Amino acid sequence: MSSRQPVKPATSQKYLVVHGHFYQPPRENPWIEEIEIQQSAAPFHNWNQKIDFECYQPNSMARIYDEKNKIVDLVNNFELMSFNFGPTLLSWLEKYNPYTYEKIIRADHVSRQLFSGHGNAIAQGYNHLIMPLATERDRLTQIRWGVADFKHRFGRDPEAMWLPETAVNNQTLRDLIHEGLKFVILSPWQAQAIKRLERREWHEVSDGHIDTTRPYRYFVPDAPGKYIDIFFFQAELSGNISFGSALQNADTLVNSIEQAYFPHKKFPQLVNVATDGETFGHHKTFGDLTLAYTLKVKAAQMGIKITNYAEYLEKYPPQFEVKIKLGESGDGTSWSCAHGVERWRSDCGCHTDGPDDWNQAWRKPLRGALDAVRDKLTLIFEQEASKYFKDIWQARDAYIRIILDRSSPNINRYLADYQIHKLTPAAKILALKLLEMERHAMLMYTSCGWFFSEVSGLETVQIIKYAARAIQLAQEFTDEDLEGKFLKMLAKAPSNIARYGNGRGIYNKLVQPYKVDFAKVTSHYAISSIFEDYPEVAHLYCYRVQRLDYRQQSFGNLTLVMGHIKISSEITRESVSTYFALLRFGVYDFRCSVKCSGRNAEYLKIKNELFGQFSKVHVLELNELLDKYFGRHYLSLKDLFLEERRQIVNLLSRDVLKKLESAYYEFYEENWGMVEVFKQVELPLPAEYLTSAEYILNQQLNQEVARLESPFTMKKFGRVFEILQRAEELELTLKAEASQKTLDDFLLQRVNKLKAGIKLNLLQEIDTILQVDQKLRLGADKRIVQDIFFGVLKEYKKSLAKQRAGDKQSLVTKKMASIAQGLGFNIEAL
């Protein structure tokens, strides 16, 4: 496809591409568009955060150490490896770790300078559904959303697209060609036969023995001249990296790579490996370090040239044509199912976890239930969306514009381009609901939902949640009981866990409680308003809440709250006026009654009567009044959004914890004298005393660090050192997480300021914090601080070469060296 002439293969030059498929399934609660806490990822908030800490961030600043474990270089692995990121994952990273996100984006720009204008990044199908099992409409939208997301982030057209699970068939490749993609990456087991471009004789390679050191050309059947190029990764080496010992160290890895070349071949050979990007650091601890040293140092020492697929393809276009396998059912193949694509629709025997006696008989009925929902929603979309859009499928393909920017001006620009006529505010809401329905109807096919062993697993429950949200949005456009029919079909999906029974049981226990409507948002606002002083306009996840009226009054152990609010969805732009009456009994009991779309006059009448009777009548009579005006249905603490529910329960427990803390402190102080006695007679201190001492010293340390103010000097940390001395006498190791975070924040703020200019007072503060941190021995993560300082240090070294040394410059240099040493760098090497 390139206009350049191919390079003639004159030498036995060795090329290497390491491709990382970096991906996590979308994990957001579909009703609030945020990931809620996931206990299985503890101590992290959720799995994205955990894997970011272990993989994405480390690979953007991987360390190269010397023999004394001192840092001599930091490497952004994304500058030297081919990679794709799932669009939904990049969206999360952009919001929750913008530093790493920017390093990933910048790495692609750097790689274009390194590799003849070709970037390392390639696109991915939007939410990782299995393309051969998708409808043609969904395949095209997945490709178009993936391409649009890529262009939005990387500022260029992608040259290739990673196919989820490398699942492929002829139709998928035809669609990629139609959308202008130049190549894909597949497993060698997905090739059927090859031949030289200029010859007719085909050679079978269906046993996986295709030469992976060269690219191949695939021509679309019945479409003369239409083609896409394919790289087949080296399966044995990729497997050894993913599941074997190849990442043990750089010598092992580079030796494994070296063995993958054919010693007598004249053609410039490409060894290319492809694996889950999470292998480098998450699945394989320190895999990021091994990769960095291999790509930055060892490869060059072995005479191996690092490249990316697009650069190699431009230099050495395919000389062979390939046919791909169609799989057992004729629907395609993948890299993670020996039966083609059956893993995502049947009990084929492929699974990765769970007891041996579990089965995956739930896969087929789950796929059937979702297909039925999709087909019904498609009919609704075709019928209803045509009222609002000139071309409903063009409008859906372009909806990625709104997903990437949900601001009102952008929504209006989108509608101006695609609406069939100028839409009323009410029609805009309906149009956006239909598009959201379609988004969730694709999210519910995310491949991870079928990948593991049990239908109640985290990923499978997540796709059922997406289906539930799609159904909820669709229900407004039909009288048919969509949820009821879906539940009947889910009941046919058996769980391996008795307490769930089947998919219907899972829906009732693990999906239904997370569903949100305006009444639930109202109750959340009402209950949490007792503990949080909301501004006139508050934002609760993807909802905007405007306070129209609010009153709170307490009498004894009762609290009555009434409010009138306007709630707006920032997704669909739907707004509703609601009012509530909240009655709190004692500490933990809440009754919140809600009316949606109520009139202000009605609200004021109820408000006046309730507050008029509040201090005069028994609580039972208040409940009767609430029943009279709101009905018997009400919401309580359990109906709060998960995060706030936990926070409020913790707040409600404060008084109990304060009493416990007081008892701990009294016990700790009153019995300090026995510490010396026990030491004299060489007896271990009682565990009860050590428990109270550890708790109190941790609390004191957190409080002292929180009180600190800039400028930081060693003198200001005097009380901190006294607390540490006491802990040392008791042989306690403090784990003051709040102190660690506070010091980390202090350090990051000041190191960031160095980018604007190096000042001696800043350096002195940084040096002080590092000295204190060393004494605290909290083991804080300093990777971002190291990365920023490393960049500042390199710029400082350049400036030194242009300046004459002076006394002040000498002081700055010494302090820079001290900080570098404190951050673990080899200052001589730097």
Side-chain angles (χ1 to χ4, degrees):
M1 289 186 179
S2 170
S3 59
R4 299 189 187 184
Q5 291 297 314
V7 176
K8 291 184 178 179
T11 67
S12 59
Q13 193 171 2
K14 296 179 289 187
Y15 288 87
L16 172 66
V17 172
V18 175
H19 182 84
H21 164 50
F22 294 90
Y23 159 75
Q24 290 299 302
R27 304 180 185 279
E28 286 76 10
N29 178 328
W31 289 275
I32 63 175
E33 296 293 336
E34 290 286 349
I35 302 177
E36 295 180 295
I37 191 166
Q38 296 176 313
Q39 286 293 106
S40 57
F44 297 91
H45 178 273
N46 58 68
W47 278 98
N48 281 12
Q49 190 183 76
K50 175 180 173 65
I51 298 170
D52 175 33
F53 182 83
E54 295 172 350
C55 177
Y56 310 136
Q57 181 173 297
N59 275 287
S60 72
M61 51 188 81
R63 285 133 186 74
I64 291 180
Y65 292 99
D66 64 11
E67 64 281 356
K68 295 181 180 178
N69 209 32
K70 296 293 183 183
I71 301 169
V72 295
D73 198 4
L74 293 179
V75 180
N76 186 340
N77 283 342
F78 298 110
E79 295 177 3
L80 299 173
M81 68 185 299
S82 172
F83 64 88
N84 71 276
F85 267 86
T88 57
L89 175 58
L90 278 182
S91 177
W92 182 88
L93 272 174
E94 182 180 25
K95 184 174 182 179
Y96 291 101
N97 190 347
Y99 188 84
T100 297
Y101 173 82
E102 288 298 331
K103 294 210 73 176
I104 292 166
I105 301 302
R106 196 160 56 246
D108 183 68
H109 291 283
V110 172
S111 67
R112 290 164 70 180
Q113 298 168 13
L114 296 174
F115 304 124
S116 311
H118 298 283
N120 284 342
I122 67 172
Q124 180 199 289
Y126 185 75
N127 65 267
H128 213 266
L129 58 75
I130 300 302
M131 301 290 255
L133 297 181
T135 65
E136 182 181 8
R137 291 289 189 190
D138 284 355
R139 276 200 313 274
L140 287 171
T141 300
Q142 286 287 307
I143 295 169
R144 288 166 183 169
W145 282 14
V147 168
D149 188 272
F150 185 95
K151 291 168 72 172
H152 170 78
R153 300 182 190 284
F154 293 98
R156 65 178 179 87
D157 289 321
E159 298 189 74
M161 176 166 282
W162 178 267
L163 294 173
E165 303 297 333
T166 74
V168 69
N169 61 359
N170 291 327
Q171 290 81 4
T172 300
L173 292 177
R174 186 193 304 268
D175 291 341
L176 292 177
I177 295 166
H178 184 268
E179 297 304 310
L181 283 307
K182 297 178 181 176
F183 66 89
V184 293
I185 307 156
L186 299 179
S187 161
W189 295 98
Q190 294 176 273
Q192 178 69 43
I194 63 170
K195 74 174 186 69
R196 282 196 171 273
L197 287 173
E198 68 278 8
R199 296 181 185 173
R200 294 184 177 182
E201 184 182 357
W202 288 91
H203 302 278
E204 280 285 320
V205 290
S206 57
D207 58 356
H209 290 130
I210 188 172
D211 180 0
T212 61
T213 65
R214 62 170 74 244
Y216 295 82
R217 183 149 290 170
Y218 168 87
F219 289 93
V220 179
D222 306 321
K226 300 289 185 181
Y227 66 84
I228 191 168
D229 294 330
I230 301 177
F231 289 91
F232 295 94
F233 60 79
Q234 219 281 355
E236 183 178 357
L237 178 55
S238 299
N240 200 12
I241 288 172
S242 301
F243 310 110
S245 59
L247 283 181
Q248 182 176 336
N249 55 57
D251 286 333
T252 302
L253 179 56
V254 81
N255 287 337
S256 299
I257 292 167
E258 182 66 34
Q259 291 171 22
Y261 293 102
F262 295 100
H264 304 299
K265 262 198 171 183
K266 295 297 181 183
F267 193 93
Q269 299 177 63
L270 174 72
V271 165
N272 79 104
V273 297
T275 183
D276 287 340
E278 290 76 15
T279 300
F280 305 108
H282 171 58
H283 299 307
K284 298 279 189 176
T285 306
F286 306 127
D288 54 307
L289 308 185
T290 298
L291 183 64
Y293 193 65
T294 299
L295 297 179
K296 189 69 182 284
V297 179
K298 292 295 291 185
Q301 290 176 355
M302 300 292 286
I304 297 170
K305 177 175 171 49
I306 305 299
T307 185
N308 62 33
Y309 288 112
E311 184 190 48
Y312 185 88
L313 189 61
E314 181 180 48
K315 289 182 176 180
Y316 309 109
Q319 298 178 6
F320 286 79
E321 183 180 346
V322 67
K323 290 180 181 178
I324 60 169
K325 289 181 183 176
L326 298 180
E328 288 184 2
S329 63
D331 286 333
T333 59
S334 67
W335 76 345
S336 49
C337 179
H339 314 91
V341 291
E342 294 306 304
R343 185 173 196 151
W344 296 277
R345 64 179 181 186
S346 71
D347 186 6
C348 68
C350 292
H351 63 93
T352 54
D353 63 343
D356 291 340
D357 60 344
W358 280 13
N359 65 65
Q360 287 72 55
W362 53 268
R363 285 178 179 161
K364 183 176 180 179
L366 176 61
R367 168 72 63 172
L370 294 182
D371 285 350
V373 169
R374 177 201 63 206
D375 293 345
K376 180 61 183 177
L377 268 48
T378 298
L379 291 174
I380 291 173
F381 185 67
E382 289 176 338
Q383 180 178 337
E384 298 295 329
S386 59
K387 300 174 184 177
Y388 311 114
F389 299 112
K390 292 176 282 190
D391 184 315
I392 63 171
W393 299 112
Q394 281 186 6
R396 189 180 83 158
D397 289 341
Y399 186 56
I400 185 66
R401 287 168 47 180
I402 294 180
I403 294 171
L404 292 169
D405 176 6
R406 293 190 181 273
S407 66
S408 293
N410 188 55
I411 291 175
N412 290 334
R413 286 191 294 270
Y414 166 88
L415 290 173
D417 289 341
Y418 295 98
Q419 63 192 359
I420 196 166
H421 51 70
K422 187 169 178 59
L423 301 183
T424 64
K428 285 181 182 179
I429 291 167
L430 292 172
L432 290 172
K433 282 186 174 182
L434 288 164
L435 291 166
E436 272 298 292
M437 176 189 78
E438 286 294 290
R439 178 170 77 96
H440 286 90
M442 284 189 287
L443 289 172
M444 72 186 186
Y445 282 109
T446 301
S447 68
C448 293
W450 287 267
F451 195 82
F452 299 100
S453 296
E454 166 56 18
V455 66
S456 64
L458 193 68
E459 293 80 7
T460 311
V461 170
Q462 183 69 26
I463 66 170
I464 297 174
K465 285 180 180 178
Y466 287 130
R469 177 57 176 152
I471 288 169
Q472 185 187 48
L473 288 162
Q475 197 63 67
E476 187 168 346
F477 302 94
T478 180
D479 294 329
E480 193 175 333
D481 181 11
L482 301 179
E483 184 180 50
K485 291 186 175 181
F486 182 55
L487 288 175
K488 285 181 182 178
M489 299 189 75
L490 280 184
K492 299 175 183 177
S495 171
N496 293 290
I497 299 173
R499 68 176 178 274
Y500 294 125
N502 54 47
R504 183 173 191 146
I506 288 163
Y507 187 95
N508 292 331
K509 291 181 174 70
L510 302 180
V511 176
Q512 190 70 36
Y514 290 89
K515 291 172 68 175
V516 173
D517 55 19
F518 284 116
K520 196 165 185 177
V521 176
T522 302
S523 71
H524 177 96
Y525 178 89
I527 296 172
S528 59
S529 72
I530 294 178
F531 307 96
E532 185 170 349
D533 186 16
Y534 283 123
E536 185 175 340
V537 176
H539 291 272
L540 300 179
Y541 298 103
C542 60
Y543 296 94
R544 181 182 183 272
V545 182
Q546 181 183 359
R547 185 178 64 232
L548 304 175
D549 185 65
Y550 185 87
R551 183 179 174 186
Q552 181 180 149
Q553 185 177 324
S554 296
F555 182 74
N557 68 345
L558 290 178
T559 299
L560 175 65
V561 184
M562 282 201 70
H564 187 193
I565 59 178
K566 180 182 179 183
I567 307 172
S568 304
S569 166
E570 294 178 347
I571 306 298
T572 66
R573 292 305 196 264
E574 182 178 13
S575 293
V576 66
S577 175
T578 72
Y579 60 84
F580 61 85
L582 169 67
L583 196 59
R584 180 185 181 189
F585 319 81
V587 179
Y588 296 102
D589 293 325
F590 297 82
R591 170 184 172 154
C592 185
S593 299
V594 177
K595 270 204 172 182
C596 295
S597 304
R599 297 188 305 274
N600 190 51
E602 184 182 39
Y603 161 73
L604 291 174
K605 177 188 173 184
I606 298 171
K607 174 186 169 185
N608 290 335
E609 181 169 355
L610 282 174
F611 278 104
Q613 296 293 319
F614 178 54
S615 59
K616 300 175 184 177
V617 299
H618 191 271
V619 65
L620 292 177
E621 293 177 74
L622 286 173
N623 275 317
E624 288 175 0
L625 284 171
L626 291 177
D627 289 345
K628 172 184 172 183
Y629 289 116
F630 294 91
R632 291 183 176 275
H633 177 73
Y634 64 89
L635 297 106
S636 62
L637 195 61
K638 67 179 177 59
D639 297 300
L640 282 171
F641 300 148
L642 181 61
E643 304 283 319
E644 284 71 17
R645 191 190 318 158
R646 288 168 174 251
Q647 290 174 15
I648 287 173
V649 169
N650 285 332
L651 285 171
L652 293 174
S653 306
R654 267 187 318 190
D655 291 341
V656 175
L657 292 174
K658 279 184 178 178
K659 290 177 184 177
L660 181 62
E661 184 177 336
S662 178
Y664 268 163
Y665 185 79
E666 187 176 334
F667 181 62
Y668 163 72
E669 285 292 340
E670 286 182 357
N671 295 286
W672 176 255
M674 77 174 182
V675 173
E676 190 59 37
V677 175
F678 272 66
K679 282 187 175 181
Q680 287 175 0
V681 297
E682 298 181 350
L683 277 176
L685 284 165
E688 295 83 355
Y689 183 78
L690 290 176
T691 298
S692 64
E694 183 178 10
Y695 180 84
I696 293 301
L697 292 174
N698 269 313
Q699 292 293 96
Q700 290 179 345
L701 182 59
N702 287 334
Q703 291 163 7
E704 286 301 319
V705 171
R707 289 192 189 105
L708 291 169
E709 293 180 353
S710 181
F712 299 115
T713 61
M714 292 300 286
K715 186 177 180 180
K716 288 187 176 181
F717 285 91
R719 174 63 181 143
V720 169
F721 294 139
E722 289 176 14
I723 295 168
L724 291 174
Q725 178 62 36
R726 277 213 163 185
E728 192 173 325
E729 290 174 25
L730 297 172
E731 298 181 2
L732 291 173
T733 301
L734 299 185
K735 299 175 181 177
E737 293 176 359
S739 296
Q740 176 181 314
K741 185 179 186 314
T742 302
L743 287 175
D744 286 351
D745 290 344
F746 286 155
L747 191 60
L748 184 57
Q749 289 165 9
R750 278 143 189 82
V751 171
N752 256 322
K753 287 182 179 179
L754 291 178
K755 292 190 290 187
I758 297 173
K759 296 178 181 177
L760 188 58
N761 64 321
L762 266 180
L763 295 175
Q764 288 168 337
E765 284 196 273
I766 293 167
D767 200 30
T768 298
I769 295 170
L770 285 172
Q771 289 181 54
V772 171
D773 185 78
Q774 192 173 16
K775 291 179 182 292
L776 286 173
R777 296 196 297 270
L778 292 175
D781 176 57
K782 294 185 177 58
R783 289 178 296 195
I784 292 180
V785 168
Q786 289 169 332
D787 194 59
I788 295 171
F789 186 78
F790 188 64
V792 170
L793 189 61
K794 287 194 288 188
E795 292 302 314
Y796 180 68
K797 284 173 65 178
K798 291 178 187 176
S799 69
L800 277 183
K802 302 174 184 176
Q803 298 176 15
R804 294 181 62 183
D807 292 339
K808 185 177 180 181
Q809 194 69 52
S810 178
L811 284 173
V812 169
T813 301
K814 287 179 180 177
K815 195 58 71 174
M816 289 284 283
S818 175
I819 293 168
Q821 195 165 16
L823 288 172
F825 289 100
N826 179 330
I827 56 174
E828 288 81 13
L830 296 175

